Amino acid sequence: MSRYRIAVHIVPRRGILDPQGKTVADALHTLGFGSVRDVHVGRHIVVDLEARDQKAAEQSTRDMCERLLANPVTEDFEIASVEAT
Amino acid sequence: MKFGIVTFPGSNCDYDAYQAVVEKLGEDATFLWHKDHDLHESDVIVLPGGFSYGDYLRAGAIARFSPVMQDVIGFAKRGGPVLAICNGFQIACEAGLLPGALLRNTSLKFVCETVRLRIETTDTMFTNRYERGAVLRVPIAHGDGRYTADDATLDKLEGEGRVVFRYLGGPGDADEWWSPNGSMRSIAGIVNDAGNVLGMMPHPERAVDPLLGSEDGLGIFESMLARVTA
Protein backbone atom coordinates (compact mmCIF):
# COMPACT_ATOMS: atom_id res chain seq x y z
CA MET A 1 0.00 0.00 0.00
CA SER A 2 1.14 3.53 -0.73
CA ARG A 3 0.13 6.77 0.80
CA TYR A 4 -1.51 9.60 -1.15
CA ARG A 5 -2.65 13.11 -0.46
CA ILE A 6 -5.63 14.06 -2.61
CA ALA A 7 -7.20 17.51 -2.79
CA VAL A 8 -10.79 17.91 -3.90
CA HIS A 9 -12.64 21.02 -5.02
CA ILE A 10 -16.37 21.17 -4.37
CA VAL A 11 -18.31 24.04 -5.92
CA PRO A 12 -21.99 24.97 -6.21
CA ARG A 13 -23.40 23.63 -9.45
CA ARG A 14 -23.62 26.23 -12.21
CA GLY A 15 -27.09 27.68 -12.45
CA ILE A 16 -27.81 27.32 -8.73
CA LEU A 17 -27.98 30.65 -6.96
CA ASP A 18 -24.73 31.23 -5.09
CA PRO A 19 -25.33 34.28 -2.85
CA GLN A 20 -21.94 33.92 -1.18
CA GLY A 21 -20.14 33.99 -4.52
CA LYS A 22 -22.19 37.00 -5.60
CA THR A 23 -21.40 38.88 -2.38
CA VAL A 24 -17.67 38.20 -2.84
CA ALA A 25 -17.87 39.36 -6.49
CA ASP A 26 -19.58 42.58 -5.37
CA ALA A 27 -16.82 43.16 -2.79
CA LEU A 28 -14.13 42.60 -5.43
CA HIS A 29 -15.86 45.16 -7.66
CA THR A 30 -15.87 47.61 -4.75
CA LEU A 31 -12.11 47.06 -4.39
CA GLY A 32 -11.63 48.01 -8.01
CA PHE A 33 -11.34 44.56 -9.57
CA GLY A 34 -13.78 45.55 -12.30
CA SER A 35 -12.70 42.71 -14.55
CA VAL A 36 -14.31 40.10 -12.27
CA ARG A 37 -17.30 38.54 -14.03
CA ASP A 38 -18.31 35.79 -11.63
CA VAL A 39 -17.19 34.20 -8.35
CA HIS A 40 -18.15 30.86 -6.86
CA VAL A 41 -17.30 29.91 -3.32
CA GLY A 42 -16.89 26.24 -2.52
CA ARG A 43 -14.86 23.94 -0.32
CA HIS A 44 -11.34 22.56 -0.61
CA ILE A 45 -10.88 19.22 1.14
CA VAL A 46 -7.58 17.40 1.57
CA VAL A 47 -7.67 13.66 2.22
CA ASP A 48 -4.66 11.56 3.23
CA LEU A 49 -5.25 7.92 2.45
CA GLU A 50 -3.61 4.59 1.76
CA ALA A 51 -4.28 2.77 -1.49
CA ARG A 52 -2.87 0.11 -3.76
CA ASP A 53 -1.99 2.64 -6.44
CA GLN A 54 -2.91 6.09 -7.62
CA LYS A 55 -5.89 4.89 -9.63
CA ALA A 56 -7.38 3.16 -6.59
CA ALA A 57 -6.75 6.25 -4.46
CA GLU A 58 -8.59 8.46 -6.94
CA GLN A 59 -11.49 6.04 -7.26
CA SER A 60 -11.83 5.85 -3.50
CA THR A 61 -11.84 9.65 -3.25
CA ARG A 62 -14.52 9.91 -5.94
CA ASP A 63 -16.67 7.46 -3.95
CA MET A 64 -16.18 9.65 -0.85
CA CYS A 65 -17.34 12.70 -2.82
CA GLU A 66 -20.41 10.95 -4.15
CA ARG A 67 -21.44 9.57 -0.77
CA LEU A 68 -20.53 12.35 1.64
CA LEU A 69 -18.18 15.15 0.66
CA ALA A 70 -20.39 16.68 -2.07
CA ASN A 71 -24.17 16.92 -2.30
CA PRO A 72 -25.12 15.38 -5.65
CA VAL A 73 -28.21 17.61 -5.85
CA THR A 74 -26.45 20.96 -5.69
CA GLU A 75 -22.69 20.56 -5.97
CA ASP A 76 -20.01 19.43 -8.43
CA PHE A 77 -16.63 18.11 -7.43
CA GLU A 78 -13.28 17.58 -9.08
CA ILE A 79 -10.02 16.09 -7.94
CA ALA A 80 -7.65 19.05 -7.90
CA SER A 81 -4.37 17.28 -7.17
CA VAL A 82 -2.93 13.89 -6.27
CA GLU A 83 0.40 13.56 -4.55
CA ALA A 84 2.24 10.42 -3.40
CA THR A 85 3.49 11.05 0.13
CA MET B 1 -49.27 6.51 20.61
CA LYS B 2 -45.52 6.89 21.07
CA PHE B 3 -43.35 9.54 19.46
CA GLY B 4 -39.63 8.71 19.20
CA ILE B 5 -37.58 11.89 19.14
CA VAL B 6 -34.02 11.51 17.91
CA THR B 7 -31.27 13.32 19.81
CA PHE B 8 -28.15 13.97 17.73
CA PRO B 9 -25.12 15.77 19.13
CA GLY B 10 -26.19 19.37 18.57
CA SER B 11 -29.97 18.83 18.49
CA ASN B 12 -31.64 21.68 20.36
CA CYS B 13 -35.37 21.28 19.67
CA ASP B 14 -35.71 17.73 20.94
CA TYR B 15 -37.10 18.93 24.28
CA ASP B 16 -39.49 21.33 22.56
CA ALA B 17 -40.85 18.43 20.54
CA TYR B 18 -41.09 16.33 23.70
CA GLN B 19 -43.07 19.03 25.52
CA ALA B 20 -45.40 19.50 22.55
CA VAL B 21 -46.18 15.78 22.45
CA VAL B 22 -46.41 15.06 26.18
CA GLU B 23 -47.90 18.28 27.57
CA LYS B 24 -50.05 19.55 24.73
CA LEU B 25 -50.97 16.40 22.81
CA GLY B 26 -51.08 14.16 25.89
CA GLU B 27 -49.26 11.28 24.22
CA ASP B 28 -46.08 9.34 25.03
CA ALA B 29 -42.66 10.43 23.84
CA THR B 30 -39.20 9.01 24.23
CA PHE B 31 -35.76 10.20 23.21
CA LEU B 32 -33.80 8.07 20.76
CA TRP B 33 -30.02 8.30 21.06
CA HIS B 34 -28.15 8.78 17.80
CA LYS B 35 -25.67 5.99 18.56
CA ASP B 36 -28.32 3.34 19.20
CA HIS B 37 -29.99 1.03 16.75
CA ASP B 38 -33.23 1.13 18.71
CA LEU B 39 -36.43 3.00 17.86
CA HIS B 40 -38.11 1.84 21.13
CA GLU B 41 -41.18 0.66 19.19
CA SER B 42 -42.14 4.23 18.39
CA ASP B 43 -45.19 4.81 16.20
CA VAL B 44 -43.82 8.08 14.85
CA ILE B 45 -40.28 9.41 14.52
CA VAL B 46 -39.42 13.08 14.96
CA LEU B 47 -36.14 14.41 13.54
CA PRO B 48 -35.87 17.65 15.53
CA GLY B 49 -34.23 20.98 14.84
CA GLY B 50 -30.76 21.99 15.88
CA PHE B 51 -27.24 21.86 14.54
CA SER B 52 -26.39 18.18 14.44
CA TYR B 53 -22.64 17.63 14.22
CA GLY B 54 -22.18 21.39 14.19
CA ASP B 55 -23.51 21.55 10.61
CA TYR B 56 -19.98 20.49 9.61
CA LEU B 57 -19.51 19.91 5.90
CA ARG B 58 -23.22 20.64 5.16
CA ALA B 59 -26.24 20.81 7.44
CA GLY B 60 -27.42 17.23 8.00
CA ALA B 61 -24.64 15.61 5.95
CA ILE B 62 -23.04 13.74 8.83
CA ALA B 63 -26.12 13.03 10.96
CA ARG B 64 -27.52 11.15 8.02
CA PHE B 65 -24.90 8.41 8.56
CA SER B 66 -25.38 8.07 12.34
CA PRO B 67 -26.42 4.59 13.55
CA VAL B 68 -30.01 5.51 14.48
CA MET B 69 -30.62 7.01 11.03
CA GLN B 70 -30.15 3.62 9.37
CA ASP B 71 -33.12 2.42 11.43
CA VAL B 72 -35.09 5.60 10.76
CA ILE B 73 -34.54 5.18 7.02
CA GLY B 74 -35.78 1.57 7.24
CA PHE B 75 -38.79 2.71 9.30
CA ALA B 76 -39.64 5.39 6.71
CA LYS B 77 -39.27 2.96 3.80
CA ARG B 78 -41.75 0.64 5.52
CA GLY B 79 -44.25 3.52 5.64
CA GLY B 80 -43.62 4.70 9.20
CA PRO B 81 -44.49 8.37 9.77
CA VAL B 82 -41.51 10.73 10.09
CA LEU B 83 -41.82 14.40 11.01
CA ALA B 84 -38.60 16.16 10.02
CA ILE B 85 -38.35 19.70 11.34
CA CYS B 86 -35.69 22.27 10.39
CA ASN B 87 -32.36 20.45 10.83
CA GLY B 88 -34.45 17.27 10.60
CA PHE B 89 -35.62 18.39 7.14
CA GLN B 90 -31.98 18.95 6.13
CA ILE B 91 -31.06 15.48 7.42
CA ALA B 92 -34.03 13.86 5.61
CA CYS B 93 -32.95 15.47 2.32
CA GLU B 94 -29.36 14.36 2.80
CA ALA B 95 -30.60 10.85 3.59
CA GLY B 96 -32.59 10.74 0.36
CA LEU B 97 -35.92 10.45 2.20
CA LEU B 98 -37.02 13.71 0.55
CA PRO B 99 -35.95 15.24 -2.77
CA GLY B 100 -33.92 18.44 -3.07
CA ALA B 101 -31.57 20.22 -0.69
CA LEU B 102 -31.55 23.13 1.76
CA LEU B 103 -28.89 25.72 0.99
CA ARG B 104 -27.67 28.86 2.72
CA ASN B 105 -30.36 31.55 2.95
CA THR B 106 -30.12 33.98 0.06
CA SER B 107 -29.60 36.83 2.53
CA LEU B 108 -26.64 34.90 4.02
CA LYS B 109 -28.22 35.72 7.39
CA PHE B 110 -29.70 33.50 10.05
CA VAL B 111 -33.43 34.29 10.16
CA CYS B 112 -35.37 34.00 13.40
CA GLU B 113 -38.96 35.25 13.24
CA THR B 114 -42.59 34.24 13.10
CA VAL B 115 -43.78 33.67 9.54
CA ARG B 116 -47.12 32.96 7.95
CA LEU B 117 -47.57 29.61 6.26
CA ARG B 118 -50.37 28.55 3.98
CA ILE B 119 -51.66 24.99 4.07
CA GLU B 120 -51.45 23.85 0.45
CA THR B 121 -52.97 20.41 1.00
CA THR B 122 -54.97 18.77 3.77
CA ASP B 123 -54.70 15.40 2.11
CA THR B 124 -51.71 14.28 4.18
CA MET B 125 -51.34 12.51 7.52
CA PHE B 126 -49.76 15.72 8.83
CA THR B 127 -52.39 18.28 7.85
CA ASN B 128 -55.77 16.52 7.88
CA ARG B 129 -56.93 18.58 10.87
CA TYR B 130 -56.53 21.88 9.05
CA GLU B 131 -58.58 23.55 6.35
CA ARG B 132 -57.07 23.94 2.93
CA GLY B 133 -55.75 27.46 2.47
CA ALA B 134 -55.62 28.05 6.23
CA VAL B 135 -52.84 30.39 7.29
CA LEU B 136 -50.67 29.45 10.27
CA ARG B 137 -48.31 31.58 12.31
CA VAL B 138 -45.22 29.52 13.07
CA PRO B 139 -41.64 30.51 13.92
CA ILE B 140 -38.60 29.84 11.77
CA ALA B 141 -34.99 29.87 12.95
CA HIS B 142 -32.39 28.78 10.42
CA GLY B 143 -29.41 29.80 8.35
CA ASP B 144 -29.74 27.10 5.70
CA GLY B 145 -33.39 26.96 4.66
CA ARG B 146 -33.36 27.77 0.95
CA TYR B 147 -35.23 24.86 -0.56
CA THR B 148 -33.62 23.98 -3.87
CA ALA B 149 -34.40 21.33 -6.45
CA ASP B 150 -34.35 21.09 -10.24
CA ASP B 151 -37.41 22.21 -12.22
CA ALA B 152 -38.53 18.66 -12.98
CA THR B 153 -38.56 17.83 -9.26
CA LEU B 154 -40.42 21.04 -8.37
CA ASP B 155 -43.02 20.40 -11.09
CA LYS B 156 -43.46 16.84 -9.84
CA LEU B 157 -43.89 17.99 -6.23
CA GLU B 158 -46.54 20.51 -7.28
CA GLY B 159 -48.24 18.16 -9.73
CA GLU B 160 -48.57 15.42 -7.12
CA GLY B 161 -49.80 17.78 -4.39
CA ARG B 162 -46.70 17.23 -2.28
CA VAL B 163 -45.99 20.87 -1.47
CA VAL B 164 -47.59 21.02 1.98
CA PHE B 165 -46.69 24.55 3.17
CA ARG B 166 -45.72 27.77 1.44
CA TYR B 167 -44.42 30.94 3.02
CA LEU B 168 -47.07 33.57 2.62
CA GLY B 169 -46.82 37.29 2.28
CA GLY B 170 -43.87 39.34 3.23
CA PRO B 171 -42.77 42.83 3.89
CA GLY B 172 -44.58 45.19 1.58
CA ASP B 173 -46.82 42.83 -0.31
CA ALA B 174 -48.97 40.46 1.65
CA ASP B 175 -50.45 38.78 -1.40
CA GLU B 176 -47.23 37.82 -3.11
CA TRP B 177 -45.62 34.51 -2.44
CA TRP B 178 -42.52 35.25 -0.56
CA SER B 179 -39.86 33.31 1.21
CA PRO B 180 -37.67 34.50 4.04
CA ASN B 181 -34.76 32.34 2.87
CA GLY B 182 -34.99 32.33 -0.93
CA SER B 183 -36.72 28.95 -1.19
CA MET B 184 -37.73 28.02 -4.70
CA ARG B 185 -41.45 28.56 -5.30
CA SER B 186 -41.76 29.68 -1.65
CA ILE B 187 -41.71 26.08 -0.47
CA ALA B 188 -41.65 25.67 3.32
CA GLY B 189 -42.57 21.98 3.58
CA ILE B 190 -42.98 18.88 1.40
CA VAL B 191 -43.89 15.22 1.75
CA ASN B 192 -42.22 12.24 0.12
CA ASP B 193 -43.72 10.13 -2.64
CA ALA B 194 -45.53 7.79 -0.23
CA GLY B 195 -46.76 10.68 1.95
CA ASN B 196 -45.31 9.39 5.23
CA VAL B 197 -42.31 11.72 5.57
CA LEU B 198 -42.89 15.45 6.09
CA GLY B 199 -39.98 17.87 5.94
CA MET B 200 -40.50 21.48 6.97
CA MET B 201 -38.22 24.35 7.94
CA PRO B 202 -40.70 26.10 10.31
CA HIS B 203 -41.06 24.86 13.89
CA PRO B 204 -44.59 23.65 14.69
CA GLU B 205 -43.39 22.33 18.06
CA ARG B 206 -42.63 25.92 19.07
CA ALA B 207 -46.17 27.03 18.25
CA VAL B 208 -48.34 24.87 20.50
CA ASP B 209 -49.46 27.26 23.23
CA PRO B 210 -50.74 30.85 23.38
CA LEU B 211 -47.86 31.59 25.76
CA LEU B 212 -45.48 30.89 22.88
CA GLY B 213 -47.30 33.39 20.70
CA SER B 214 -49.16 30.85 18.61
CA GLU B 215 -50.71 27.43 18.90
CA ASP B 216 -51.15 26.97 15.17
CA GLY B 217 -48.55 24.20 15.00
CA LEU B 218 -50.40 21.79 17.27
CA GLY B 219 -52.65 20.68 14.39
CA ILE B 220 -49.73 18.86 12.80
CA PHE B 221 -49.36 16.66 15.88
CA GLU B 222 -53.14 16.24 16.14
CA SER B 223 -53.32 15.26 12.48
CA MET B 224 -50.70 12.55 12.99
CA LEU B 225 -52.52 11.30 16.07
CA ALA B 226 -55.82 11.17 14.19
CA ARG B 227 -54.29 9.22 11.32
CA VAL B 228 -52.00 6.84 13.18
CA THR B 229 -54.55 5.81 15.80
CA ALA B 230 -57.44 5.61 13.30
Side-chain angles (χ1 to χ4, degrees), chain A residues 15-68:
Chain A
I16 286 185
L17 182 66
D18 177 7
Q20 202 177 177
K22 187 175 178 309
T23 303
V24 173
D26 290 347
L28 289 172
H29 290 157
T30 305
L31 286 175
F33 294 101
S35 59
V36 171
R37 289 286 162 265
D38 216 356
V39 175
H40 290 281
V41 177
R43 287 189 300 280
H44 180 81
I45 298 177
V46 180
V47 181
D48 280 312
L49 76 164
E50 288 186 342
R52 201 174 349 102
D53 53 30
Q54 181 170 331
K55 191 161 168 261
E58 287 185 28
Q59 186 53 51
S60 176
T61 306
R62 263 193 290 277
D63 289 347
M64 293 176 206
C65 287
E66 281 163 11
R67 292 196 57 201
L68 175 66

Side-chain angles (χ1 to χ4, degrees), chain A residues 10 15-21 23 43 45 65 67-75, chain B residues 57-58 61-62 64-65 94 100-101 103-108 146 148-150 182 184:
Chain A
I10 296 162
I16 286 185
L17 182 66
D18 177 7
Q20 202 177 177
T23 303
R43 287 189 300 280
I45 298 177
C65 287
R67 292 196 57 201
L68 175 66
L69 303 181
N71 183 332
V73 179
T74 56
E75 294 173 325
Chain B
L57 198 60
R58 295 180 306 277
I62 296 179
R64 161 248 193 290
F65 290 105
E94 285 282 345
L103 304 185
R104 180 73 56 88
N105 296 345
T106 308
S107 65
L108 301 177
R146 172 166 47 108
T148 301
D150 59 35
M184 287 179 162

Side-chain angles (χ1 to χ4, degrees), chain B residues 3-8 11 13-14 17 32 39 44-50 63-64 66 68-69 72-73 76 81-93 95 97-98 197-200 202-203 205:
Chain B
F3 285 68
I5 301 162
V6 179
T7 302
F8 297 102
S11 293
C13 296
D14 40 349
L32 308 175
L39 301 183
V44 170
I45 300 296
V46 179
L47 298 177
R64 161 248 193 290
S66 60
V68 76
M69 275 307 293
V72 171
I73 291 167
V82 177
L83 172 59
I85 303 166
C86 197
N87 187 222
F89 188 9
Q90 296 160 340
I91 295 167
C93 285
L97 291 176
L98 292 167
V197 179
L198 170 70
M200 61 188 300
H203 286 277
E205 83 286 9

Side-chain angles (χ1 to χ4, degrees), chain B residues 21-33:
Chain B
V21 169
V22 173
E23 290 202 10
K24 301 306 295 189
L25 197 63
E27 295 294 319
D28 288 340
T30 186
F31 292 111
L32 308 175
W33 187 237

